């Protein structure tokens, strides 16, 4: 998850002043009205600041972290994660098993669960959701709409990728048993079901309020005003450019939320988010900049880090010279002092990377080729390649903070000085986030560039498969052997069989060197001293049922 795959909004009314108004109005409201009249939970309001607004409230069409943040409060999937980990755990399904060939998955469903509109959650509802995704019209199949379903299931019932689709059918066996059949094995299937994009939604609400064939499915009544799941919070209102408000679901099947109301606001700048927490304008905030951590802690603010489940990398566009020369790519790798980059621009707790996935992911290999910081060797490699003094374009984003890249300009400046020290002439090219992503992922008009990834779930394909599974403009190379190995590994039915295949793939990738994995940053969150019960998750599966505000 690139958190945000879409253009970053610049909201004129969202910031410190708006956040302060939100918290002030909440406090006044709570003084006037008993916060917990029914005796459930501890009451009160929790105000949280993200870096952007949600893009859409129908999780099937979401691919950005801010949309996922609110979706996790209102929706649930068949599978969740163990708190504080990326490991799959029962949620709306209490148990599951799969056939030996990896083509059928049987799920036992949780009973006595209803959607927010009163519709029963059962096997028919599960099949209705799977069939909806598979039968999305071609107008809703593009990666900027149904990104995750398309990536994971490879195609739809209609459209250009029909033959590649791996979903086959959904079968019910009574009210609380369902079987999902696939056309090809997908060992990461269960883990992938923890994604908010594959959440269960009320078939009744979808039929009444959603139009999957609309010219813009992200602006329909359902996508903006009628999201209906089974989660511990229900949608209340969304004043775009101001706040999104959710209320506790008092009919929730599980542990009910402690707070009455959850409000999400957007504060784009990291320093402004930190200031908002310190001033008490919001109760909590995500993506705290590394430079703000110590001052916040000195001020008595709680700072928490997620376990690293990210990767920050410097990528090479091999469609451009001189990056098609392995000696130049090796020279760049040896020119980089990763420890210095981490110290200057990444939060404490970040881990230095040796490959394009964290060590906690299945298939990480302990014997990949490494490229130690060695400026002399980098200089010699450039001389051997005849590239000493070569001018190279270095692309980086501005006005953005991502979990894997909290301060892009700081990271760029350290890398630029290291590359210039070994003989490169660096030409900086900066773009705002939306334009940057369009350029890097949609054209070959770029050189080396900074980018990264936050893992969606614990599966190797969600890292190396995303990056290197097919030819992409970002990397500019075609390596049929690597593409073939990744396709083979994805279709192996068990994780045990996958492990040696992905270990070999990681070795191949680091020999081929399409880029330099720099670090696995540990994103930081901040909370006021009156907040308790927030449980950070490496995949941001952070549901606010246990949060309290004194």
């Amino acid at each position: 998850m690139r958190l945000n795959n879409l253009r970053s909004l610049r909201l004129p009314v969202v910031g410190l002043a708006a956040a302060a108004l939100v918290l002030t109005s909440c406090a006044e409201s709570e003084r006037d009205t008993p916060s917990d009249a029914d005796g459930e939970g501890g009451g009160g309001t929790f105000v949280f600041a993200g870096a952007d607004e949600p893009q859409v409230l129908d999780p099937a069409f979401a691919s950005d972290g801010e949309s996922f943040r609110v979706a996790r409060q209102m929706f649930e999937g068949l599978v969740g994660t163990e708190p504080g980990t990326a490991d799959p755990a029962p949620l709306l399904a209490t148990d599951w098993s799969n056939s030996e060939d990896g083509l059928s998955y049987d799920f036992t469903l949780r009973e006595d669960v209803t959607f927010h509109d009163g519709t029963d959650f059962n096997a028919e509802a599960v099949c209705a959701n799977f069939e909806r995704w598979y039968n999305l019209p071609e107008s809703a199949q593009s990666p900027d709409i149904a990104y995750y379903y398309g990536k994971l299931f490879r195609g739809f019932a209609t459209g250009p990728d029909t033959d590649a689709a791996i979903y086959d059918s959904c079968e019910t066996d009574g009210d609380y048993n369902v079987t999902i059949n696939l056309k090809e094995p997908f060992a990461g299937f269960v883990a992938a079901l923890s994604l908010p994009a594959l959440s269960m939604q009320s078939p009744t609400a979808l039929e009444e309020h959603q139009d999957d064939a609309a010219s813009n499915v992200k602006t329909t009544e359902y996508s903006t005003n009628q999201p209906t799941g089974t989660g511990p919070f229900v949608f209340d209102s969304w004043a775009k450019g101001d706040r999104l408000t959710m209320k506790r679901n008092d009919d929730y099947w599980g542990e009910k939320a402690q707070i009455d109301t959850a409000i999400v606001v957007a504060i784009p700048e990291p320093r402004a988010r930190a200031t908002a927490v310190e001033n008490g304008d919001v109760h909590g905030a995500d993506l705290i900049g590394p430079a703000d951590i110590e001052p916040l802690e000195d001020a008595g603010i709680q700072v928490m880090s997620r376990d690293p489940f990210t990767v920050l990398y410097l990528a090479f566009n091999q469609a451009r010279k001189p990056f098609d020369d392995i000696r130049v790519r090796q020279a760049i790798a040896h020119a980089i002092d990763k420890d210095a980059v981490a110290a200057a621009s990444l939060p404490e707790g970040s881990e230095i990377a040796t490959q394009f996935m964290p060590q906690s992911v299945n298939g990480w290999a302990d014997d990949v080729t490494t490229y130690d910081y060695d400026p002399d060797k980098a200089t010699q490699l450039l001389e051997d390649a005849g590239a000493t003094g070569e001018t190279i374009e270095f692309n980086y984003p501005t006005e953005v903070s991502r979990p894997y890249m909290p301060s892009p300009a700081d990271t760029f400046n350290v890398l630029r000085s290291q590359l210039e020290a070994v003989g490169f002439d660096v030409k900086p090219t900066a773009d705002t986030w939306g334009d940057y992503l369009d350029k890097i992922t949609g054209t070959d008009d770029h050189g080396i560039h900074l980018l990264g990834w936050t893992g969606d779930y614990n599966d190797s394909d969600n890292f190396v498969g995303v990056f290197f599974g097919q030819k992409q403009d970002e990397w500019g190379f075609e390596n049929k052997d690597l593409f073939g190995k990744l396709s083979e590994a994805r279709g192996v039915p068990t994780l045990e069989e996958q492990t040696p295949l992905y270990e070999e793939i990681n070795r191949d990738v680091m020999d081929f060197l399409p880029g330099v994995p720099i670090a696995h940053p540990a994103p930081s969150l901040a909370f006021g001293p009156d907040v308790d019960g927030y449980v950070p998750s490496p995949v941001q599966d952070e549901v606010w049922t246990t949060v309290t505000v004194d």
Side-chain angles (χ1 to χ4, degrees), residues 164-509:
I166 68 168
Y167 172 77
D168 184 33
S169 62
C170 180
E171 302 174 17
T172 63
D173 180 11
D175 288 339
Y176 298 106
N177 293 282
V178 66
T179 299
I180 306 300
N181 300 305
L182 305 178
K183 297 175 182 177
E184 296 178 10
F186 175 24
F189 176 63
V190 168
L193 292 179
S194 66
L195 275 169
L198 301 179
S199 297
M200 295 291 105
Q201 306 190 53
S202 166
T204 304
L206 287 169
E207 184 175 356
E208 291 180 0
H209 302 293
Q210 185 58 289
D211 179 6
D212 290 336
S215 59
N216 187 347
V217 293
K218 295 187 177 184
T219 61
T220 63
E221 174 67 9
Y222 185 90
S223 292
T224 60
N225 201 43
Q226 296 286 344
T228 310
T230 63
F233 291 90
V234 298
F235 176 77
D236 180 71
S237 62
W238 185 14
K240 289 191 176 183
D242 185 9
R243 71 190 79 177
L244 185 143
T245 303
M246 298 171 285
K247 298 291 186 179
R248 184 178 62 220
N249 178 11
D250 289 324
D251 296 321
Y252 183 55
W253 61 265
E255 179 184 356
K256 295 178 177 59
Q258 298 294 303
I259 55 175
D260 295 317
T261 304
I263 294 177
V264 180
V265 299
I267 302 178
E269 297 303 323
R271 177 61 56 85
R273 289 194 296 277
T275 301
V277 178
E278 185 174 2
N279 290 347
D281 297 326
V282 299
H283 294 113
D286 203 353
L287 301 183
I288 301 301
D292 295 315
I293 293 175
E294 186 174 347
L296 286 176
E297 291 177 331
D298 290 343
I301 299 300
Q302 304 177 74
V303 178
M304 303 178 185
S305 294
R306 298 186 179 99
D307 289 340
F309 205 66
T310 58
V311 62
L312 167 67
Y313 57 77
L314 179 69
F316 310 137
N317 176 12
Q318 292 187 44
R320 276 195 177 187
K321 293 184 178 298
F323 310 117
D324 58 335
D325 190 325
I326 183 62
R327 294 170 297 181
V328 173
R329 303 200 297 274
Q330 291 171 343
I332 293 174
H334 284 295
I336 294 175
D337 182 349
K338 297 179 183 179
D339 289 316
V341 175
S345 65
L346 301 178
E348 290 186 15
S350 299
E351 299 173 356
I352 300 303
T354 63
Q355 51 210 281
F356 286 86
M357 64 168 64
Q359 189 171 354
S360 58
V361 178
N362 179 62
W364 185 90
D366 61 6
D367 57 351
V368 299
T369 300
T370 57
Y371 301 84
D372 296 334
Y373 176 53
D374 190 339
D376 292 337
K377 188 170 185 177
T379 300
Q380 184 60 54
L381 283 164
L382 280 186
E383 291 180 4
D384 294 345
T388 301
E390 186 87 21
T391 298
I392 59 172
E393 183 179 24
F394 191 156
N395 301 84
Y396 69 99
T398 61
E399 301 180 31
V400 70
S401 178
R402 302 291 84 169
Y404 51 80
M405 187 169 53
S407 184
D410 291 340
T411 302
F412 163 78
N413 285 326
V414 178
L415 290 171
R416 177 185 184 178
S417 64
Q418 293 175 354
L419 295 175
E420 289 178 339
V422 301
F424 283 108
D425 178 18
V426 175
K427 174 189 173 185
T429 302
D431 291 287
T432 57
W433 182 239
D435 293 337
Y436 183 77
L437 280 183
D438 289 345
K439 177 184 288 187
I440 299 303
T441 63
T443 77
D444 63 1
D445 184 22
H446 53 89
I448 62 173
H449 59 272
L450 288 171
L451 209 51
W453 186 255
T454 300
D456 297 305
Y457 54 93
N458 198 350
D459 182 65
S460 310
D461 185 67
N462 190 239
F463 282 90
V464 289
V466 170
F467 305 144
F468 311 122
Q470 59 188 357
K471 184 176 181 179
Q472 299 185 64
D473 287 330
E474 179 181 355
W475 306 93
F477 70 81
E478 183 150 0
N479 186 328
K480 293 183 178 179
D481 181 58
L482 178 59
F483 299 162
K485 287 183 177 181
L486 281 162
S487 178
E488 176 190 358
R490 188 182 191 274
V492 170
T494 69
L495 292 176
E496 290 75 17
E497 293 174 275
Q498 278 189 333
T499 299
L501 300 180
Y502 278 110
E503 288 175 348
E504 180 181 352
I505 287 167
N506 278 313
R507 288 189 287 268
D508 289 349
V509 167

Side-chain angles (χ1 to χ4, degrees), residues 96-106 180 187 189-190 493-494:
W96 53 80
S97 61
N98 60 276
S99 60
E100 288 188 10
D101 60 9
L103 296 179
S104 294
Y105 287 79
D106 298 323
I180 306 300
F189 176 63
V190 168
T494 69

